[in-house]
Amino acid sequence: MGAGAARSRAPAGAARELRKRYTPADVSVFTRDEASRFVPRGDGDPQNDVVLAWELLYRLEPELYDRLARAERLHPAVVRWLPRDVDQIAEVGAGTGRLTMELIERGRHVVAVEPALPLRRILRRKLAAAGYGDRARVVRGFFDRLPLPDDSADLVVACSAFTPSPGHGGDSGLAEMERVCRPGGQVAIIWPNHLDWLAGRGYRYVTFPGPMSVEFDSRREAVELAEIFYPKAADEVRRRGWRRVPFEVLGINPPRDLAFKVLAG
């Protein structure tokens, strides 16, 4: 099933909440590897499992996800804080390139690992349009099985993708990121959750101050995407009529922080 099929279920003007956009039948879109991670028992209901709904979004409506990712911009200090002038960078869970395009300026070569084929296609298209085809490579892979050699990257980073859940990182995913990182290099988790979990594994925390907003292309888009992704705040977004909506109005933590570890040299 392709993105066109998903759009036919949710036509323009019918901005249904994310967890209501898909049905259990949609899990058939997963490859065997994806199904083993996201629906290991062979079933699953995205209307009761929002994490599963996100995975279906990436595969059925990737352009919709890309619109959201473009609006949820990182705090500029996060990218500035990352090492620069390094040789090799590996990004895990690259999505449609929210961070990838920034990483190009910080290393000689970037390998962007992304499991969802539709997101990889969008990212490749963006890189080619920007003339970065010779400095970045987009490959298929999962947190727990990175298609990269040991000690091959100076910086290994994940942005808004890593969680303690085994299907989206966990201990095996963290071990893989550290395996790929060279001694003296750095592993960074941007926009992390479960900070105590990361701290217990030797990760330090950095956050940056200042107001932050989700920057939609238009007021109409702000309402549409709020209805899908921030349904509890949709009425407030509609009432205020803002194109730039503060993160606190949407009820989510802004992407202003990261957890990192420098591997022993």
Side-chain angles (χ1 to χ4, degrees):
M1 187 179 299
R7 282 194 293 269
S8 70
R9 289 196 301 274
R16 285 186 288 172
E17 179 183 349
L18 177 62
R19 68 168 68 238
K20 297 179 181 178
R21 295 179 79 82
Y22 314 117
T23 71
D26 289 322
V27 302
S28 64
V29 76
F30 290 136
T31 67
R32 183 175 300 177
D33 274 352
E34 290 168 347
S36 70
R37 289 166 172 82
F38 308 136
V39 284
R41 294 187 299 275
D43 59 2
D45 185 353
Q47 299 194 10
N48 294 319
D49 182 350
V50 72
V51 175
L52 180 58
W54 279 98
E55 292 296 338
L56 291 171
L57 169 72
Y58 304 149
R59 291 157 179 85
L60 295 175
E61 299 182 279
E63 299 285 354
L64 176 60
Y65 167 72
D66 187 48
R67 289 169 61 198
L68 175 68
R70 290 199 310 267
E72 292 180 340
R73 301 175 187 177
L74 302 175
H75 194 299
V78 168
V79 176
R80 290 197 299 266
W81 186 92
L82 294 172
R84 66 175 304 132
D85 299 325
V86 299
D87 185 30
Q88 300 287 328
I89 298 174
E91 182 187 6
V92 188
T96 59
R98 183 199 330 245
L99 178 63
T100 316
M101 307 302 285
E102 305 275 5
L103 293 175
I104 295 289
E105 304 300 325
R106 309 197 77 77
R108 290 179 54 197
H109 191 262
V110 176
V111 178
V113 182
E114 169 53 49
L117 176 59
L119 301 190
R120 293 200 302 273
R121 286 172 172 161
I122 292 174
L123 178 52
R124 288 188 180 114
R125 190 166 68 235
K126 288 183 179 181
L127 290 167
Y132 292 150
D134 60 337
R135 296 184 57 191
R137 181 165 57 99
V138 182
V139 300
R140 175 180 178 272
F142 298 88
F143 272 106
D144 63 346
R145 197 191 309 162
L146 297 179
L148 301 170
D150 295 356
D151 304 337
S152 59
D154 305 284
L155 171 64
V156 184
V157 60
C159 176
S160 186
F162 185 93
T163 79
S165 167
H168 299 89
D171 281 309
S172 60
L174 210 57
E176 273 288 89
M177 293 178 72
E178 294 182 11
R179 175 188 66 79
V180 170
C181 190
R182 292 171 179 161
Q186 185 177 115
V187 177
I189 309 294
I190 294 174
W191 208 359
N193 59 16
H194 298 88
L195 295 175
D196 290 344
W197 187 90
L198 287 166
R201 286 150 180 81
Y203 281 72
R204 298 164 60 189
Y205 180 66
V206 178
T207 187
F208 302 95
M212 293 188 66
S213 297
V214 181
E215 301 185 19
F216 300 100
D217 287 342
S218 66
R219 294 176 180 178
R220 180 177 179 180
E221 182 180 69
V223 172
E224 177 193 354
L225 295 189
E227 289 176 346
I228 298 170
F229 297 107
Y230 322 104
K232 294 181 180 179
D235 287 344
E236 182 71 1
V237 172
R238 185 181 297 105
R239 184 184 69 80
R240 294 183 183 232
W242 289 344
R243 181 183 70 82
R244 301 177 74 248
V245 182
F247 274 89
E248 57 265 27
V249 171
L250 299 173
I252 59 174
N253 294 325
R256 64 165 79 251
D257 54 355
L258 60 89
F260 73 98
K261 179 192 242 183
V262 177
L263 298 195

